[in-house]
Amino acid sequence: MRGWIRYRWLPMLLITLYLAACSRAELVYENADWLIYRWAAGLVDATSDQRDAWRERFDVLLDEHRQRLLPEVVALIGVAEDEVERGLTEQSLDCLFDRTDALYRDHAALAIPLAVGILSEITPVQIDHLAEEFEERNNNYVEDYLDEDLEARAEARSERYLERVERWTG
């Protein structure tokens, strides 16, 4: 049985998800294809020809997301809101966690074919660039998230969540 301590962050996440309907989140979502496309092109240092070829693929991916997965995300937010209003229990948190995990897998399954296609087209120099990007990001993650002092790590995590919620809510 999962303990409540594991889910201390979930109420903040649920509030953030509920607030996802705000105009800021809509702005980000409406531009998600462009943002994801630019992020991926930057990771591999894509050429202009590659960017042009990939653009339509990202548009198709987001269209499929809107049709297939977005309704599930919205439904999960509704369920989470209802559970918060009723009072969260360990069982309801387990159910929400399991459904969120399944949605993550569904999103990955949607994105994998696009990622495989892009990665199969990059050059050895771009592979090296991607490896350097990942190494830099991993080093940053270790520095930012893996403090050996567990109390300091928990405090930093709480501060990050609060900052993120404040960023979205003002």
Side-chain angles (χ1 to χ4, degrees):
M1 181 72 78
R2 299 179 188 130
W4 172 255
I5 200 79
R6 180 175 179 181
Y7 298 107
R8 286 183 307 180
W9 54 269
L10 193 56
M12 295 289 268
L13 176 63
L14 295 175
I15 291 167
T16 303
L17 289 173
Y18 177 73
L19 294 172
C22 75
S23 61
R24 232 183 259 183
E26 289 176 25
L27 177 67
V28 170
Y29 187 78
E30 288 301 318
N31 293 289
D33 56 341
W34 179 81
L35 294 168
I36 294 168
Y37 158 80
R38 293 206 25 117
W39 170 77
L43 275 179
V44 298
D45 195 24
T47 67
S48 61
D49 288 342
Q50 287 171 320
R51 284 189 212 112
D52 291 343
W54 299 345
R55 180 69 192 174
E56 185 177 336
R57 295 183 201 175
F58 280 92
D59 291 342
V60 168
L61 178 75
L62 191 59
D63 286 345
E64 186 172 348
H65 179 268
R66 285 183 178 125
Q67 292 174 14
R68 193 164 56 89
L69 294 180
L70 184 59
E72 292 184 42
V73 172
V74 171
L76 178 61
I77 291 170
V79 169
E81 181 182 31
D82 292 345
E83 291 298 325
V84 168
E85 287 176 9
R86 278 195 287 265
L88 293 171
T89 65
E90 188 170 340
Q91 182 180 9
S92 65
L93 286 173
D94 282 342
C95 289
L96 289 170
F97 181 77
D98 290 343
R99 186 61 203 128
T100 301
D101 190 48
L103 268 173
Y104 277 126
R105 285 192 309 273
D106 293 343
H107 280 81
L110 180 66
I112 286 172
L114 174 64
V116 168
I118 287 172
L119 291 172
S120 69
E121 297 170 6
I122 62 176
T123 67
V125 171
Q126 289 172 319
I127 291 170
D128 291 342
H129 185 271
L130 180 61
E132 290 170 9
E133 287 284 326
F134 283 155
E135 182 177 357
E136 181 179 338
R137 288 167 191 246
N138 284 339
N139 290 339
N140 289 340
Y141 289 142
V142 167
E143 184 178 312
D144 293 344
Y145 299 107
L146 296 179
D147 192 314
E148 290 184 23
D149 180 350
L150 295 180
E151 286 183 31
R153 188 186 304 183
E155 180 67 26
R157 183 181 319 116
S158 294
E159 288 175 17
R160 280 192 308 275
Y161 290 147
L162 286 173
E163 287 172 11
R164 290 172 186 160
V165 168
E166 288 173 355
R167 189 177 327 135
W168 282 97
T169 61

mmCIF file of all heavy atoms in Angstrom, residues 29 36 61-62 64-66 68-74 76 99-115:
data_model
loop_
_atom_site.group_PDB
_atom_site.id
_atom_site.type_symbol
_atom_site.label_atom_id
_atom_site.label_comp_id
_atom_site.label_asym_id
_atom_site.label_seq_id
_atom_site.Cartn_x
_atom_site.Cartn_y
_atom_site.Cartn_z
ATOM 1 N N TYR A 29 -0.944 25.617 -24.471
ATOM 2 C CA TYR A 29 -1.426 24.462 -25.215
ATOM 3 C C TYR A 29 -1.642 24.802 -26.686
ATOM 4 O O TYR A 29 -1.309 24.007 -27.567
ATOM 5 C CB TYR A 29 -2.719 23.904 -24.608
ATOM 6 C CG TYR A 29 -3.101 22.612 -25.280
ATOM 7 C CD1 TYR A 29 -2.451 21.438 -24.936
ATOM 8 C CD2 TYR A 29 -4.041 22.580 -26.290
ATOM 9 C CE1 TYR A 29 -2.737 20.256 -25.583
ATOM 10 C CE2 TYR A 29 -4.339 21.395 -26.945
ATOM 11 C CZ TYR A 29 -3.692 20.239 -26.583
ATOM 12 O OH TYR A 29 -3.973 19.065 -27.232
ATOM 13 N N ILE A 36 7.064 22.454 -28.731
ATOM 14 C CA ILE A 36 7.691 21.133 -28.729
ATOM 15 C C ILE A 36 8.612 20.981 -29.938
ATOM 16 O O ILE A 36 9.717 20.451 -29.831
ATOM 17 C CB ILE A 36 6.615 20.026 -28.697
ATOM 18 C CG1 ILE A 36 5.867 20.070 -27.372
ATOM 19 C CG2 ILE A 36 7.229 18.652 -28.916
ATOM 20 C CD1 ILE A 36 4.614 19.228 -27.355
ATOM 21 N N LEU A 61 0.834 15.299 -34.849
ATOM 22 C CA LEU A 61 0.894 14.763 -33.489
ATOM 23 C C LEU A 61 -0.039 15.534 -32.560
ATOM 24 O O LEU A 61 -0.817 14.939 -31.808
ATOM 25 C CB LEU A 61 2.329 14.824 -32.959
ATOM 26 C CG LEU A 61 2.526 14.329 -31.529
ATOM 27 C CD1 LEU A 61 2.452 12.809 -31.481
ATOM 28 C CD2 LEU A 61 3.846 14.811 -30.979
ATOM 29 N N LEU A 62 0.009 16.849 -32.600
ATOM 30 C CA LEU A 62 -0.839 17.628 -31.710
ATOM 31 C C LEU A 62 -2.312 17.476 -32.084
ATOM 32 O O LEU A 62 -3.167 17.411 -31.197
ATOM 33 C CB LEU A 62 -0.434 19.103 -31.714
ATOM 34 C CG LEU A 62 -1.109 19.917 -30.609
ATOM 35 C CD1 LEU A 62 -0.771 19.366 -29.229
ATOM 36 C CD2 LEU A 62 -0.725 21.366 -30.705
ATOM 37 N N GLU A 64 -3.699 14.802 -33.287
ATOM 38 C CA GLU A 64 -4.103 13.508 -32.726
ATOM 39 C C GLU A 64 -4.255 13.603 -31.215
ATOM 40 O O GLU A 64 -5.181 13.035 -30.634
ATOM 41 C CB GLU A 64 -3.101 12.412 -33.095
ATOM 42 C CG GLU A 64 -3.569 11.041 -32.654
ATOM 43 C CD GLU A 64 -2.709 9.907 -33.154
ATOM 44 O OE1 GLU A 64 -1.854 10.118 -34.044
ATOM 45 O OE2 GLU A 64 -2.905 8.784 -32.646
ATOM 46 N N HIS A 65 -3.354 14.334 -30.575
ATOM 47 C CA HIS A 65 -3.467 14.526 -29.125
ATOM 48 C C HIS A 65 -4.781 15.195 -28.777
ATOM 49 O O HIS A 65 -5.484 14.778 -27.852
ATOM 50 C CB HIS A 65 -2.289 15.361 -28.599
ATOM 51 C CG HIS A 65 -2.390 15.600 -27.133
ATOM 52 N ND1 HIS A 65 -2.997 16.713 -26.604
ATOM 53 C CD2 HIS A 65 -1.977 14.856 -26.082
ATOM 54 C CE1 HIS A 65 -2.954 16.648 -25.286
ATOM 55 N NE2 HIS A 65 -2.334 15.530 -24.954
ATOM 56 N N ARG A 66 -5.122 16.229 -29.504
ATOM 57 C CA ARG A 66 -6.375 16.948 -29.230
ATOM 58 C C ARG A 66 -7.584 16.036 -29.378
ATOM 59 O O ARG A 66 -8.536 16.130 -28.607
ATOM 60 C CB ARG A 66 -6.506 18.141 -30.169
ATOM 61 C CG ARG A 66 -5.621 19.293 -29.804
ATOM 62 C CD ARG A 66 -5.858 20.468 -30.739
ATOM 63 N NE ARG A 66 -5.029 21.590 -30.343
ATOM 64 C CZ ARG A 66 -4.191 22.213 -31.155
ATOM 65 N NH1 ARG A 66 -4.083 21.854 -32.422
ATOM 66 N NH2 ARG A 66 -3.470 23.218 -30.718
ATOM 67 N N ARG A 68 -7.625 12.540 -29.345
ATOM 68 C CA ARG A 68 -7.623 11.284 -28.610
ATOM 69 C C ARG A 68 -7.310 11.425 -27.127
ATOM 70 O O ARG A 68 -7.979 10.810 -26.297
ATOM 71 C CB ARG A 68 -6.621 10.322 -29.265
ATOM 72 C CG ARG A 68 -6.764 8.905 -28.778
ATOM 73 C CD ARG A 68 -6.059 7.910 -29.673
ATOM 74 N NE ARG A 68 -4.660 8.155 -29.887
ATOM 75 C CZ ARG A 68 -3.680 7.679 -29.104
ATOM 76 N NH1 ARG A 68 -3.974 6.953 -28.051
ATOM 77 N NH2 ARG A 68 -2.429 7.925 -29.394
ATOM 78 N N LEU A 69 -6.298 12.218 -26.788
ATOM 79 C CA LEU A 69 -5.843 12.239 -25.396
ATOM 80 C C LEU A 69 -6.346 13.439 -24.591
ATOM 81 O O LEU A 69 -6.545 13.321 -23.387
ATOM 82 C CB LEU A 69 -4.314 12.177 -25.341
ATOM 83 C CG LEU A 69 -3.708 10.872 -25.833
ATOM 84 C CD1 LEU A 69 -2.195 10.919 -25.746
ATOM 85 C CD2 LEU A 69 -4.251 9.689 -25.049
ATOM 86 N N LEU A 70 -6.540 14.564 -25.229
ATOM 87 C CA LEU A 70 -6.993 15.738 -24.478
ATOM 88 C C LEU A 70 -8.318 15.485 -23.767
ATOM 89 O O LEU A 70 -8.459 15.872 -22.596
ATOM 90 C CB LEU A 70 -7.072 16.968 -25.391
ATOM 91 C CG LEU A 70 -7.435 18.272 -24.687
ATOM 92 C CD1 LEU A 70 -6.431 18.605 -23.587
ATOM 93 C CD2 LEU A 70 -7.512 19.407 -25.700
ATOM 94 N N PRO A 71 -9.294 14.835 -24.398
ATOM 95 C CA PRO A 71 -10.528 14.553 -23.648
ATOM 96 C C PRO A 71 -10.280 13.715 -22.390
ATOM 97 O O PRO A 71 -10.935 13.932 -21.366
ATOM 98 C CB PRO A 71 -11.387 13.780 -24.661
ATOM 99 C CG PRO A 71 -10.889 14.244 -25.991
ATOM 100 C CD PRO A 71 -9.406 14.443 -25.813
ATOM 101 N N GLU A 72 -9.332 12.799 -22.448
ATOM 102 C CA GLU A 72 -9.002 12.002 -21.263
ATOM 103 C C GLU A 72 -8.352 12.860 -20.182
ATOM 104 O O GLU A 72 -8.613 12.672 -18.998
ATOM 105 C CB GLU A 72 -8.085 10.841 -21.643
ATOM 106 C CG GLU A 72 -8.754 9.788 -22.495
ATOM 107 C CD GLU A 72 -7.833 8.614 -22.767
ATOM 108 O OE1 GLU A 72 -7.130 8.179 -21.832
ATOM 109 O OE2 GLU A 72 -7.822 8.139 -23.917
ATOM 110 N N VAL A 73 -7.490 13.790 -20.584
ATOM 111 C CA VAL A 73 -6.855 14.692 -19.618
ATOM 112 C C VAL A 73 -7.920 15.542 -18.937
ATOM 113 O O VAL A 73 -7.935 15.690 -17.714
ATOM 114 C CB VAL A 73 -5.791 15.573 -20.305
ATOM 115 C CG1 VAL A 73 -5.276 16.645 -19.355
ATOM 116 C CG2 VAL A 73 -4.637 14.719 -20.816
ATOM 117 N N VAL A 74 -8.830 16.105 -19.732
ATOM 118 C CA VAL A 74 -9.902 16.941 -19.182
ATOM 119 C C VAL A 74 -10.772 16.123 -18.232
ATOM 120 O O VAL A 74 -11.143 16.593 -17.144
ATOM 121 C CB VAL A 74 -10.729 17.570 -20.324
ATOM 122 C CG1 VAL A 74 -11.976 18.252 -19.785
ATOM 123 C CG2 VAL A 74 -9.869 18.557 -21.114
ATOM 124 N N LEU A 76 -9.869 13.496 -16.502
ATOM 125 C CA LEU A 76 -9.110 13.236 -15.285
ATOM 126 C C LEU A 76 -9.096 14.463 -14.382
ATOM 127 O O LEU A 76 -9.218 14.342 -13.162
ATOM 128 C CB LEU A 76 -7.679 12.804 -15.624
ATOM 129 C CG LEU A 76 -6.771 12.538 -14.417
ATOM 130 C CD1 LEU A 76 -7.328 11.419 -13.547
ATOM 131 C CD2 LEU A 76 -5.363 12.216 -14.879
ATOM 132 N N ARG A 99 -4.350 6.400 -12.899
ATOM 133 C CA ARG A 99 -4.875 6.956 -14.151
ATOM 134 C C ARG A 99 -3.888 7.942 -14.760
ATOM 135 O O ARG A 99 -3.718 7.988 -15.979
ATOM 136 C CB ARG A 99 -6.231 7.632 -13.906
ATOM 137 C CG ARG A 99 -6.887 8.081 -15.159
ATOM 138 C CD ARG A 99 -7.159 6.889 -16.109
ATOM 139 N NE ARG A 99 -7.269 7.373 -17.461
ATOM 140 C CZ ARG A 99 -6.602 6.912 -18.509
ATOM 141 N NH1 ARG A 99 -5.769 5.905 -18.392
ATOM 142 N NH2 ARG A 99 -6.752 7.426 -19.691
ATOM 143 N N THR A 100 -3.222 8.740 -13.918
ATOM 144 C CA THR A 100 -2.211 9.668 -14.412
ATOM 145 C C THR A 100 -1.057 8.901 -15.040
ATOM 146 O O THR A 100 -0.570 9.264 -16.120
ATOM 147 C CB THR A 100 -1.695 10.564 -13.266
ATOM 148 O OG1 THR A 100 -2.796 11.283 -12.720
ATOM 149 C CG2 THR A 100 -0.643 11.540 -13.741
ATOM 150 N N ASP A 101 -0.649 7.821 -14.398
ATOM 151 C CA ASP A 101 0.424 6.987 -14.939
ATOM 152 C C ASP A 101 0.023 6.411 -16.295
ATOM 153 O O ASP A 101 0.821 6.400 -17.238
ATOM 154 C CB ASP A 101 0.754 5.871 -13.949
ATOM 155 C CG ASP A 101 2.007 5.119 -14.320
ATOM 156 O OD1 ASP A 101 3.030 5.762 -14.620
ATOM 157 O OD2 ASP A 101 1.958 3.869 -14.309
ATOM 158 N N ALA A 102 -1.212 5.961 -16.421
ATOM 159 C CA ALA A 102 -1.682 5.421 -17.697
ATOM 160 C C ALA A 102 -1.694 6.508 -18.772
ATOM 161 O O ALA A 102 -1.333 6.255 -19.927
ATOM 162 C CB ALA A 102 -3.080 4.821 -17.527
ATOM 163 N N LEU A 103 -2.082 7.718 -18.396
ATOM 164 C CA LEU A 103 -2.074 8.820 -19.363
ATOM 165 C C LEU A 103 -0.656 9.163 -19.810
ATOM 166 O O LEU A 103 -0.427 9.480 -20.978
ATOM 167 C CB LEU A 103 -2.747 10.062 -18.775
ATOM 168 C CG LEU A 103 -4.231 10.195 -19.055
ATOM 169 C CD1 LEU A 103 -4.821 11.361 -18.276
ATOM 170 C CD2 LEU A 103 -4.512 10.357 -20.528
ATOM 171 N N TYR A 104 0.295 9.096 -18.890
ATOM 172 C CA TYR A 104 1.694 9.310 -19.281
ATOM 173 C C TYR A 104 2.112 8.274 -20.319
ATOM 174 O O TYR A 104 2.759 8.594 -21.306
ATOM 175 C CB TYR A 104 2.633 9.218 -18.074
ATOM 176 C CG TYR A 104 2.741 10.472 -17.257
ATOM 177 C CD1 TYR A 104 2.507 10.460 -15.889
ATOM 178 C CD2 TYR A 104 3.096 11.688 -17.840
ATOM 179 C CE1 TYR A 104 2.613 11.603 -15.124
ATOM 180 C CE2 TYR A 104 3.202 12.836 -17.084
ATOM 181 C CZ TYR A 104 2.954 12.788 -15.729
ATOM 182 O OH TYR A 104 3.067 13.929 -14.991
ATOM 183 N N ARG A 105 1.741 7.020 -20.080
ATOM 184 C CA ARG A 105 2.089 5.955 -21.035
ATOM 185 C C ARG A 105 1.412 6.199 -22.385
ATOM 186 O O ARG A 105 2.025 5.994 -23.440
ATOM 187 C CB ARG A 105 1.716 4.585 -20.470
ATOM 188 C CG ARG A 105 2.662 4.093 -19.383
ATOM 189 C CD ARG A 105 2.445 2.623 -19.034
ATOM 190 N NE ARG A 105 1.070 2.284 -18.741
ATOM 191 C CZ ARG A 105 0.491 2.387 -17.533
ATOM 192 N NH1 ARG A 105 1.194 2.824 -16.517
ATOM 193 N NH2 ARG A 105 -0.761 2.048 -17.365
ATOM 194 N N ASP A 106 0.153 6.628 -22.365
ATOM 195 C CA ASP A 106 -0.560 6.923 -23.611
ATOM 196 C C ASP A 106 0.120 8.058 -24.380
ATOM 197 O O ASP A 106 0.240 8.009 -25.604
ATOM 198 C CB ASP A 106 -2.016 7.294 -23.337
ATOM 199 C CG ASP A 106 -2.832 6.123 -22.798
ATOM 200 O OD1 ASP A 106 -2.389 4.960 -22.921
ATOM 201 O OD2 ASP A 106 -3.922 6.383 -22.239
ATOM 202 N N HIS A 107 0.566 9.069 -23.654
ATOM 203 C CA HIS A 107 1.270 10.179 -24.300
ATOM 204 C C HIS A 107 2.596 9.711 -24.900
ATOM 205 O O HIS A 107 2.957 10.111 -26.010
ATOM 206 C CB HIS A 107 1.501 11.328 -23.314
ATOM 207 C CG HIS A 107 0.303 12.181 -23.110
ATOM 208 N ND1 HIS A 107 -0.714 11.826 -22.263
ATOM 209 C CD2 HIS A 107 -0.050 13.369 -23.662
ATOM 210 C CE1 HIS A 107 -1.641 12.761 -22.296
ATOM 211 N NE2 HIS A 107 -1.269 13.719 -23.130
ATOM 212 N N ALA A 108 3.296 8.867 -24.159
ATOM 213 C CA ALA A 108 4.564 8.343 -24.677
ATOM 214 C C ALA A 108 4.321 7.514 -25.928
ATOM 215 O O ALA A 108 5.052 7.638 -26.919
ATOM 216 C CB ALA A 108 5.265 7.509 -23.607
ATOM 217 N N ALA A 109 3.284 6.682 -25.902
ATOM 218 C CA ALA A 109 2.981 5.852 -27.072
ATOM 219 C C ALA A 109 2.642 6.710 -28.281
ATOM 220 O O ALA A 109 2.972 6.352 -29.418
ATOM 221 C CB ALA A 109 1.825 4.904 -26.750
ATOM 222 N N LEU A 110 2.021 7.837 -28.058
ATOM 223 C CA LEU A 110 1.707 8.748 -29.155
ATOM 224 C C LEU A 110 2.974 9.396 -29.711
ATOM 225 O O LEU A 110 3.126 9.547 -30.918
ATOM 226 C CB LEU A 110 0.727 9.829 -28.671
ATOM 227 C CG LEU A 110 0.294 10.863 -29.690
ATOM 228 C CD1 LEU A 110 -0.531 10.227 -30.800
ATOM 229 C CD2 LEU A 110 -0.508 11.965 -29.004
ATOM 230 N N ALA A 111 3.897 9.753 -28.833
ATOM 231 C CA ALA A 111 5.086 10.501 -29.247
ATOM 232 C C ALA A 111 6.221 9.619 -29.780
ATOM 233 O O ALA A 111 7.056 10.096 -30.558
ATOM 234 C CB ALA A 111 5.602 11.327 -28.070
ATOM 235 N N ILE A 112 6.273 8.375 -29.386
ATOM 236 C CA ILE A 112 7.402 7.515 -29.752
ATOM 237 C C ILE A 112 7.599 7.392 -31.260
ATOM 238 O O ILE A 112 8.727 7.532 -31.739
ATOM 239 C CB ILE A 112 7.300 6.144 -29.060
ATOM 240 C CG1 ILE A 112 7.652 6.303 -27.586
ATOM 241 C CG2 ILE A 112 8.202 5.108 -29.722
ATOM 242 C CD1 ILE A 112 7.401 5.073 -26.737
ATOM 243 N N PRO A 113 6.561 7.150 -32.048
ATOM 244 C CA PRO A 113 6.805 7.039 -33.498
ATOM 245 C C PRO A 113 7.427 8.309 -34.099
ATOM 246 O O PRO A 113 8.333 8.211 -34.935
ATOM 247 C CB PRO A 113 5.415 6.774 -34.085
ATOM 248 C CG PRO A 113 4.650 6.154 -32.964
ATOM 249 C CD PRO A 113 5.165 6.822 -31.722
ATOM 250 N N LEU A 114 6.983 9.468 -33.662
ATOM 251 C CA LEU A 114 7.576 10.714 -34.145
ATOM 252 C C LEU A 114 9.039 10.807 -33.718
ATOM 253 O O LEU A 114 9.912 11.134 -34.527
ATOM 254 C CB LEU A 114 6.799 11.923 -33.623
ATOM 255 C CG LEU A 114 7.394 13.286 -33.941
ATOM 256 C CD1 LEU A 114 7.415 13.535 -35.446
ATOM 257 C CD2 LEU A 114 6.619 14.380 -33.236
ATOM 258 N N ALA A 115 9.307 10.503 -32.453
ATOM 259 C CA ALA A 115 10.683 10.571 -31.950
ATOM 260 C C ALA A 115 11.595 9.606 -32.701
ATOM 261 O O ALA A 115 12.717 9.966 -33.076
ATOM 262 C CB ALA A 115 10.708 10.273 -30.452
#
